[in-house]
Each structure stands twice: as C-alpha cells, then as structure tokens.
Amino acid sequence: TFMRVIIGISEVIVGILLFIGVKKWAGKHPIQHRAGWGIGIFLILLLLNTVFTVLGNKHQVFRSLEEAYRCNNKGQIALVISGEETDMAVGREVGTDNTQIIAILSKSEKGWGVSSGLDIKDIYSGIVDGIYISVMQYKDTDDYYIEVTDLFGNDLTVRDNMDSVFSRYVTEEKYYYYAYIKKFSIEEYRVEINGRIFSLGKNEKI
C-alpha cells in the first residue's frame, strides 16, 4: 500500500543519515570509544526497525481476521464477537487454557486492521459479589464490548437491557461471557446476571 511505501522510504532515509553521521563521528574519535558507540548505534537501529515495523503493521490491511490477530498476538482464536466497525477476537496462548488474549480489530470492506492496547478504552471495570464486569470501547467508535465472569468459577446466565447476544467461552477454571454493545451508555445500561440486575453507572447491584 501507499503507506507501506512511505514507511519503507523513511527507513532508507533514516539508515543513510545514521550511516553518514557514524562515519563522520568515527573519524573524529579514538578507536577505543568506537566499540561502545557501535553497540549503541546498533541498539538504536534495532529500536527504529521495531518502530517502523509497528507503524507498517498499523496501516496494513489483512484479508482475514486471523492474520490481523496474529500480527500482534500469539495463540489461537477461540471466539469472535462481531461489531459494526470492529470485531473482537478472544484467544488463548498455545499450551494454556486460562490466559485470555483480547484483541479488538478494525474492519472494512478491504479487510481487518491491526490494533494495540492503546486503541482500546477501558470504559468500566469492577467486581461485585465476586463477579467481574468489564466494558471496552474501540477508539471513539460506537463499538463497545462487555466481558463478564465469576471469579469463583461458577457458571452464569447473562443478559442485558440492550438485547445483546452473549457468547460463552469456557476454560478449565472459569466461564467467560462476551457481547457486542451498540452505542453504550453507562447511565442507562443494565446487565442481569443470574437474575440480579447490575447498574454500572452506580456501580451497584439493584
């Protein structure tokens, strides 16, 4: 893509400028100082490569959700919750069954984009009577996602006042429930868990 070309050209320019700078510096300093500076310059180049790689992936569009997910995450996708502008992928690390990996990925007609933790806003998170509730938002979109689990490992019945469709993900120790919420309002939102209604705006059980 055009952005990838720009980033590639930027990498070349930065590399050339560093090479010229190092060459001039090396001619003016004793040889005993060059080894330390050489290591420092190598680390700077490594850091720049990482930064350019992240920027390149940030603007890259993948044909499948799995490709976009694996760009920044390890393991397998266990559950996908679809939103309007995004999809939330819930995965776990290979060899484990309890390490949750949540990624919210932007999507369009061309494919899926890569996101990071900085793109996800923590709108609400709290524990009431051993039940953990978390609401996340992707950037400034109207795409919100909720996670509900009982920290003691009990199974739950979950629904809300938005008629959201909750999906269950089961591990060896816990039951997790996830759902997409359109245009979430913390003052008006209510979630019913095992017959008990929770008001997130007041952070209390009704």
Side-chain angles (χ1 to χ4, degrees):
T1 63
F2 177 75
M3 183 58 65
R4 296 285 292 181
V5 173
I6 295 298
I7 291 173
I9 294 174
S10 300
E11 287 179 321
V12 173
I13 293 174
V14 171
I16 292 173
L17 292 176
L18 278 174
F19 175 78
I20 294 174
V22 170
K23 188 175 181 180
K24 288 184 177 180
W25 175 88
K28 298 179 181 180
H29 292 77
I31 192 168
Q32 58 265 30
H33 298 299
R34 295 179 187 176
W37 279 97
I39 295 174
I41 292 169
F42 170 77
L43 293 176
I44 291 174
L45 288 173
L46 186 63
L47 176 62
L48 287 172
N49 179 69
T50 301
V51 170
F52 281 124
T53 299
V54 171
L55 289 175
N57 290 336
K58 188 75 174 176
H59 295 89
Q60 188 173 359
V61 176
F62 294 87
R63 293 183 178 180
S64 70
L65 174 67
E66 290 75 15
E67 288 180 314
Y69 175 84
R70 293 195 181 98
C71 191
N72 285 342
N73 302 282
K74 296 180 180 179
Q76 301 174 346
I77 297 176
L79 181 68
V80 175
I81 307 296
S82 295
E84 291 289 332
E85 302 179 53
T86 61
D87 285 332
M88 184 176 76
V90 181
R92 64 181 179 85
E93 292 184 3
V94 176
T96 70
D97 193 35
N98 301 315
T99 303
Q100 301 297 103
I101 303 174
I102 296 177
I104 300 178
L105 308 170
S106 61
K107 65 180 180 180
S108 66
E109 295 180 356
K110 297 181 179 180
W112 287 262
V114 175
S115 65
S116 67
L118 298 176
D119 297 323
I120 302 174
K121 296 182 179 181
D122 182 13
I123 302 301
Y124 173 89
S125 58
I127 300 175
V128 182
D129 294 344
I131 296 176
Y132 173 74
I133 304 172
S134 173
V135 178
M136 299 156 279
Q137 178 189 16
Y138 181 79
K139 292 186 175 180
D140 293 323
T141 67
D142 288 329
D143 279 12
Y144 297 83
Y145 297 90
I146 184 172
E147 174 187 9
V148 179
T149 186
D150 188 312
L151 299 180
F152 299 106
N154 299 314
D155 197 3
L156 303 171
T157 300
V158 186
R159 62 181 182 179
D160 64 10
N161 62 339
M162 300 290 291
D163 293 326
S164 303
V165 179
F166 283 85
S167 298
R168 186 174 73 164
Y169 172 52
V170 182
T171 70
E172 293 180 354
E173 296 182 357
K174 292 184 178 68
Y175 298 87
Y176 295 87
Y177 285 84
Y178 299 95
Y180 164 72
I181 307 173
K182 179 69 173 178
K183 294 184 179 180
F184 172 83
S185 170
I186 195 168
E187 291 79 14
E188 300 176 2
Y189 186 76
R190 301 288 185 274
V191 58
E192 182 179 326
I193 304 172
N194 286 353
R196 299 178 297 175
I197 299 176
F198 294 83
S199 173
L200 305 188
K202 297 180 181 180
N203 195 24
E204 64 182 15
K205 179 180 64 176
I206 298 176

